[in-house]
Amino acid sequence: MKHFLFSLLCLVFLASAKAQKSDPPLDNLMPRELIFKDKDKNRITLSKDGETIFYQKKADGSDSTLYFISGKSPLAERSKRFDGALSNWMPVHQNGLVVVVRQDTNQYIGFTSTPAASVRKLDVFPFRQVQLLNISARFPNKIVVNLEARNPEQSGIYILDLLSSNLKRIGQMEDFGELFFDENFTIIAGWRPNELGGNSLLRRVEG
């Protein structure tokens, strides 16, 4: 029995030594910068149909140009230039694109598309900050936004119609870090910080 155990240990040792010998030394690994050499692409975002990749080339928030490439011609970089710094954007359905453009101390929400040459400014009350929260395939011309208005009484979460600029208030962000919606833009869950230093995920229950 002792001879069997000794032979088994020898086999394990030899197999381990062979595996370690076959592993490439760290000096022979591919340099990370060769894999991630495109350092000029920031805030990379994929379109809803998966055909277009959007990105910016400046990470300091001063870039007024949005760049994009198509999966059909990935080597042909195209761009759209706006009349102010591009604070945020979100691809929406049917090749649409919602943008938040900053001009000095003012901002506006615009609606455009990759083929379009112009941007339609949406008629929204003055705001300090805006978050683009959610879209739905069921309502392709609408988006959920969280607006911090200059008039605090107007602040809240709204459904924004991208064609008519109509706003419908559906709630408040309160202290939630993120909210989750169903296809009808109903809030169904959200997470917020808890007293333990982590986050609590809360689910909406009817009744």
Side-chain angles (χ1 to χ4, degrees):
M1 183 66 178
K2 291 181 179 181
H3 178 73
F4 173 77
L5 291 176
F6 177 76
S7 300
L8 183 60
L9 288 174
C10 289
L11 289 174
V12 172
F13 175 79
L14 290 173
S16 176
K18 184 177 180 181
Q20 292 178 4
K21 186 177 180 180
S22 62
D23 290 338
L26 293 179
D27 293 340
N28 291 338
L29 294 179
M30 183 178 292
R32 181 181 178 87
E33 53 269 20
L34 291 181
I35 303 175
F36 303 100
K37 61 182 179 180
D38 291 331
K39 299 179 181 179
D40 61 339
K41 294 179 175 61
N42 297 282
R43 302 174 62 187
I44 299 172
T45 306
L46 187 66
S47 64
K48 298 308 295 182
D49 60 6
E51 289 293 331
T52 307
I53 298 175
F54 299 91
Y55 55 91
Q56 287 183 291
K57 294 188 177 182
K58 296 180 182 178
D60 59 1
S62 64
D63 201 345
S64 60
T65 303
L66 182 64
Y67 300 87
F68 56 96
I69 55 177
S70 171
K72 298 178 180 178
S73 53
L75 298 180
E77 181 183 73
R78 293 182 291 169
S79 64
K80 291 180 71 70
R81 187 173 180 84
F82 300 88
D83 57 355
L86 194 59
S87 301
N88 199 2
W89 74 86
M90 177 182 284
V92 296
H93 297 282
Q94 299 176 349
N95 295 320
L97 186 67
V98 178
V99 296
V100 181
V101 180
R102 185 178 70 253
Q103 298 173 319
D104 296 327
T105 59
N106 297 317
Q107 298 185 84
Y108 72 83
I109 302 174
F111 182 47
T112 183
S113 65
T114 48
S118 61
V119 179
R120 183 168 70 252
K121 295 183 180 180
L122 302 182
D123 186 16
V124 178
F125 52 73
F127 59 89
R128 301 181 187 276
Q129 297 290 336
V130 59
Q131 293 175 276
L132 309 178
L133 298 182
N134 192 68
I135 58 175
S136 171
R138 186 170 184 180
F139 303 101
N141 296 318
K142 296 182 179 181
I143 186 173
V144 178
V145 298
N146 178 39
L147 287 165
E148 181 186 337
R150 294 188 180 274
N151 178 0
E153 295 183 355
Q154 294 179 307
S155 295
I157 300 174
Y158 292 84
I159 298 175
L160 171 60
D161 192 308
L162 299 173
L163 301 181
S164 66
S165 298
N166 288 337
L167 287 168
K168 178 183 178 182
R169 191 193 297 236
I170 60 174
Q172 294 287 343
M173 198 71 180
E174 298 179 355
D175 60 344
F176 282 92
E178 185 177 4
L179 293 173
F180 303 93
F181 303 80
D182 64 12
E183 63 178 2
N184 296 315
F185 295 134
T186 302
I187 300 173
I188 57 174
W191 65 260
R192 63 184 178 190
N194 55 41
E195 63 277 5
L196 298 177
N199 296 310
S200 296
L201 180 63
L202 305 178
R203 181 172 61 90
R204 182 172 183 174
V205 178
E206 299 293 341

